[in-house]
């Protein structure tokens, strides 16, 4: 009788131990399932975008225009921080990107401004795309971002990068 009780108690302990192991496996599997559902959602969105591109519903041009329209305020804000004097506002209308002179109100296309101003705009666009990433590395890698920029604008740009590294929690690498 005592040996049966000991055997039963031992089996009960083994069953409890096995039950705990199975419960841990279930919890781990649930966490993995949530992770894969998130990945599946991202893949589904990507598939839809690529299908639309291939079918002609959305062209790369329309996606570019949408990106510019949705982020014009951020692009303009960054442009004003990295390019001095702050003489232009950025305006996006359809496929047209115009720099509007703050004093005269005169629009200028990117082809009509200096190389330094075009460089500042390109950097503003790049930094906006990095800033608006939902998921992605918190790293910027820049190859000679200050070429074609005068000393005042170089300092403004480097100040912006310092602010971005500190407040934006970014790690920045660049070569000059």
């Amino acid at each position: 009788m005592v040996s049966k009780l000991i055997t039963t108690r031992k089996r009960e302990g083994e069953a409890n131990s096995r039950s705990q192991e199975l419960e841990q496996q279930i919890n781990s599997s649930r966490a993995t399932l949530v992770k894969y559902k998130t990945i599946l959602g991202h893949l589904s969105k990507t598939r839809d975008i690529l299908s639309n591109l291939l079918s002609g519903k959305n062209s790369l041009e329309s996606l570019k225009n949408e990106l510019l329209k949705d982020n014009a305020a951020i692009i303009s804000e960054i442009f004003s921080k990295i390019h001095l004097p702050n003489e232009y506002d950025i305006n996006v209308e359809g496929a047209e990107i115009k720099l509007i002179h703050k004093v005269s109100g005169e629009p200028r296309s990117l082809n009509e401004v200096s190389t330094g101003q075009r460089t500042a705009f390109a950097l503003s666009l790049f930094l906006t795309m990095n800033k608006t990433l939902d998921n992605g590395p918190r790293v910027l890698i820049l190859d000679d971002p200050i070429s074609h920029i005068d000393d005042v604008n170089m300092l403004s740009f480097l100040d912006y990068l310092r602010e971005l590294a500190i407040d934006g929690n970014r790690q920045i690498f660049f070569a000059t």
Side-chain angles (χ1 to χ4, degrees):
M1 176 97 158
V2 171
S3 67
K4 279 187 177 181
L5 187 59
I6 291 172
T7 304
T8 304
R9 187 75 172 151
K10 184 177 177 184
R11 286 183 185 161
E12 184 180 335
E14 290 171 355
N16 284 339
S17 177
R18 181 68 180 142
S19 175
Q20 287 175 349
E21 287 174 19
L22 290 173
E23 197 171 314
Q24 287 175 346
Q25 286 178 355
I26 289 170
N27 289 335
S28 175
S29 296
R30 283 183 180 148
T32 302
L33 182 62
V34 167
K35 181 176 117 182
Y36 285 131
K37 281 184 179 179
T38 302
I39 291 170
L40 184 61
H42 292 307
L43 289 172
S44 178
K45 286 179 186 177
T46 303
R47 182 200 62 226
D48 293 344
I49 289 169
L50 290 173
S51 294
N52 286 340
L53 281 173
L54 291 172
S55 70
K57 288 182 183 175
N58 288 331
S59 66
L60 286 175
E61 185 71 19
S62 66
L63 289 174
K64 177 199 75 162
N65 293 341
E66 186 179 324
L67 173 98
L68 289 172
K69 277 184 195 174
D70 291 348
N71 296 297
I74 299 170
I75 295 168
S76 187
E77 174 193 341
I78 293 172
F79 184 79
S80 69
K81 287 182 179 181
I82 68 173
H83 182 73
L84 295 173
N86 188 1
E87 58 191 325
Y88 290 105
D89 283 324
I90 294 174
N91 187 13
V92 178
E93 292 180 15
E96 286 286 316
I97 301 165
K98 295 279 186 186
L99 299 177
I100 309 297
H101 197 274
K102 288 185 176 182
V103 175
S104 70
E106 186 179 318
R108 298 239 169 102
S109 71
L110 289 174
N111 294 335
E112 299 172 310
V113 297
S114 72
T115 304
Q117 290 163 329
R118 281 194 301 270
T119 300
F121 178 81
L123 287 169
S124 299
L125 182 59
F126 171 75
L127 292 167
T128 297
M129 291 174 68
N130 181 268
K131 185 176 186 175
T132 57
L133 280 177
D134 290 333
N135 297 320
R138 314 282 296 163
V139 174
L140 285 171
I141 301 173
L142 303 164
D143 183 21
D144 205 8
I146 55 177
S147 63
H148 308 294
I149 298 177
D150 60 37
D151 292 344
V152 172
N153 287 309
M154 179 179 23
L155 292 173
S156 297
F157 179 68
L158 293 174
D159 281 344
Y160 181 78
L161 288 182
R162 180 183 51 79
E163 178 185 315
L164 188 63
I166 294 168
D167 298 336
N169 194 24
R170 297 281 196 285
Q171 196 168 29
I172 301 170
F173 300 92
F174 68 91
T176 59

